[in-house]
Amino acid sequence: MDETIARTRDNIVKKQALTYEEIEAERPYGAVDRKLYVANLHFNMTESQLRAIFEPFGPVELVQLPLDLETGHCKGFGFVQFAKLEDAKAAQSLNGKVEIAGRTIKVGFSL
DNA sequence: GTTGAGCGTT
């Protein structure tokens, strides 16, 4: 009986681990529901600049600016992930309203 | 050292 319990426990552990990996596989870029896609950025925009723009809405968990490994510059778009969904929704209102380095940024939820 | 719609390397 003890062995059965131990085996069941192991199965539960493995099941949880598998489920976690499945989640990771389905969400390779993290919490997409709390992440905003920010486009029309100036090419020398940096993560700290981007963070500074969105932080007033709430805690920013993650800022990503995919870099072109050839030039080392950002591709002109990025991602801002908030700790709370409500903050992300509030920050979405910046779409078309904020101009940085002469360019009006686009803000929308990540795909 | 340039460009300009779009959804990402870890």
Side-chain angles (χ1 to χ4, degrees):
Chain A
M1 185 59 86
D2 286 343
E3 186 177 349
T4 301
I5 292 175
R7 198 167 292 169
T8 300
R9 182 202 59 196
D10 288 345
N11 285 337
I12 291 174
V13 171
K14 289 178 181 176
K15 178 64 175 182
Q16 288 176 336
L18 184 63
T19 300
Y20 180 77
E21 289 181 349
E22 286 173 352
I23 293 175
E24 287 297 306
E26 292 175 4
R27 297 177 183 269
Y29 302 117
V32 168
D33 49 324
R34 283 181 279 123
K35 190 175 299 184
L36 296 177
Y37 168 77
V38 186
N40 205 37
L41 299 174
H42 191 272
F43 284 159
N44 56 21
M45 173 72 56
T46 183
E47 287 189 356
S48 58
Q49 299 180 59
L50 196 57
R51 176 182 290 265
I53 296 167
F54 288 92
E55 238 167 9
F57 292 89
V60 175
E61 278 188 348
L62 180 64
V63 177
Q64 292 177 320
L65 276 81
L67 298 179
D68 184 356
L69 281 68
E70 297 179 355
T71 65
H73 291 59
C74 82
K75 296 179 179 177
F77 62 89
F79 299 89
V80 178
Q81 182 179 327
F82 283 89
K84 288 176 265 181
L85 176 61
E86 52 187 289
D87 296 337
K89 289 193 287 190
Q92 190 187 20
S93 65
L94 288 182
N95 184 29
K97 294 182 183 175
V98 176
E99 181 176 307
I100 308 168
R103 304 188 63 85
T104 302
I105 68 174
K106 301 176 185 176
V107 182
F109 275 95
S110 180
L111 266 16

